[in-house]
Amino acid sequence: AQSVSQHNHHVILSEAASLELGCNYSYGGTVNLFWYVQYPGQHLQLLLKYFSGDPLVKGIKGFEAEFIKSKFSFNLRKPSVQWSDTAEYFCAVKVASGGGADGLTFGKGTHLIIQP
Amino acid sequence: NAGVTQTPKFQVLKTGQSMTLQCAQDMNHNSMYWYRQDPGMGLRLIYYSASEGTTDKGEVPNGYNVSRLNKREFSLRLESAAPSQTSVYFCASTTRSSGELFFGEGSRLTVL
């Protein structure tokens, strides 16, 4: 079974700092990759996704992620964070082949705090 | 557009009590899921239903039962609640083989 590892559980940055959150997965085949964001007290919302094609994907609110197949990584980046980016961020993976409906496998999340 | 709707949003139970979390989606999705979210543990899959009439266990099914009542509704039942089931529960759905999930707003359950 696949697994997802997020390197940082808690990250504290100042506004305008650059952000990179690490995500690695453990499946050797073709995968679909996702980043979800959960703002305080809210449900999970899709930030961006990668299925195929250009390994650099852009999402909402200025976020982007790069899929590096050789490193089994899908790191999330933002050049300049804002206070409103304070949230929990989850990386998730699904095995692309077979069309199984057994959901996504999530990492444990990274709690990001942006200080004004 | 309501999307995925969960009820109740908050519930406090005593150990041994039972309750059912309700979930409904209006997006005509085939697959539905129940996850629990615990601090430092991320989201873990409890049960899922690939289509109407089918249900399967996920990673952490013990202590739970589910019912896929029809295509829209997927309920999660705790027959005898335990403090270890204190958590935030999320229902999700999808019709896409890609796996992209659409989440409800969550149900915060406390078991005393």
Side-chain angles (χ1 to χ4, degrees):
Chain A
Q2 64 272 22
S3 65
V4 179
S5 175
Q6 292 184 237
H7 311 306
N8 309 100
H9 297 303
H10 297 277
V11 174
I12 301 175
L13 295 173
S14 298
E15 276 193 315
S18 64
L19 169 71
E20 181 161 1
L21 301 182
C23 173
N24 287 88
Y25 63 94
S26 67
Y27 182 74
T30 304
V31 293
N32 295 334
L33 296 158
F34 306 83
W35 275 98
Y36 280 85
V37 60
Q38 184 181 29
Y39 298 106
Q42 297 188 25
H43 64 292
L44 278 79
Q45 305 169 43
L46 184 66
L47 203 52
L48 47 79
K49 58 191 177 187
Y50 173 79
F51 297 158
S52 62
D54 188 343
L56 184 62
V57 293
K58 296 190 183 299
I60 60 173
K61 303 186 180 185
F63 286 91
E64 63 180 32
E66 185 176 13
F67 170 53
I68 303 179
K69 188 174 182 180
S70 61
K71 295 184 177 180
F72 299 92
S73 70
F74 190 55
N75 292 355
L76 181 70
R77 299 195 292 247
K78 186 171 184 178
S80 176
V81 294
Q82 301 172 312
W83 177 80
S84 58
D85 293 325
T86 293
E88 188 136 18
Y89 293 80
F90 294 95
C91 183
V93 64
K94 177 173 173 56
V95 174
S97 60
D102 54 345
L104 302 180
T105 300
F106 286 85
K108 293 185 177 181
T110 297
H111 188 200
L112 175 65
I113 297 174
I114 307 300
Q115 297 177 330
Chain B
N1 291 336
V4 180
T5 304
Q6 293 180 230
T7 56
K9 287 186 169 45
F10 300 94
Q11 184 72 49
V12 178
L13 291 177
K14 294 181 180 178
T15 297
Q17 288 185 318
S18 62
M19 77 156 299
T20 300
L21 300 177
Q22 307 285 356
C23 175
Q25 52 89 11
D26 62 2
M27 297 175 283
N28 201 34
H29 285 170
N30 293 321
S31 302
M32 298 185 72
Y33 307 82
W34 278 105
Y35 284 88
R36 60 177 288 173
Q37 182 183 23
D38 301 290
M41 301 294 290
L43 279 84
R44 294 179 292 170
L45 184 63
I46 304 171
Y47 270 94
Y48 67 99
S49 170
S51 61
E52 187 178 354
T54 69
T55 61
D56 285 284
K57 295 179 180 179
E59 180 185 355
V60 288
N62 291 345
Y64 305 94
N65 285 301
V66 291
S67 295
R68 183 73 182 268
L69 303 171
N70 47 56
K71 191 171 186 178
R72 290 186 65 247
E73 299 173 287
F74 188 40
S75 63
L76 179 71
R77 182 160 178 83
L78 287 70
E79 291 290 352
S80 179
S84 62
Q85 294 177 304
T86 293
S87 187
V88 180
Y89 292 85
F90 286 98
C91 179
S93 69
T94 187
T95 194
R96 303 177 185 178
S97 59
S98 67
E100 179 182 346
L101 295 179
F102 298 81
F103 284 87
E105 294 192 353
S107 299
R108 182 175 294 275
L109 175 65
T110 301
V111 183
L112 302 175

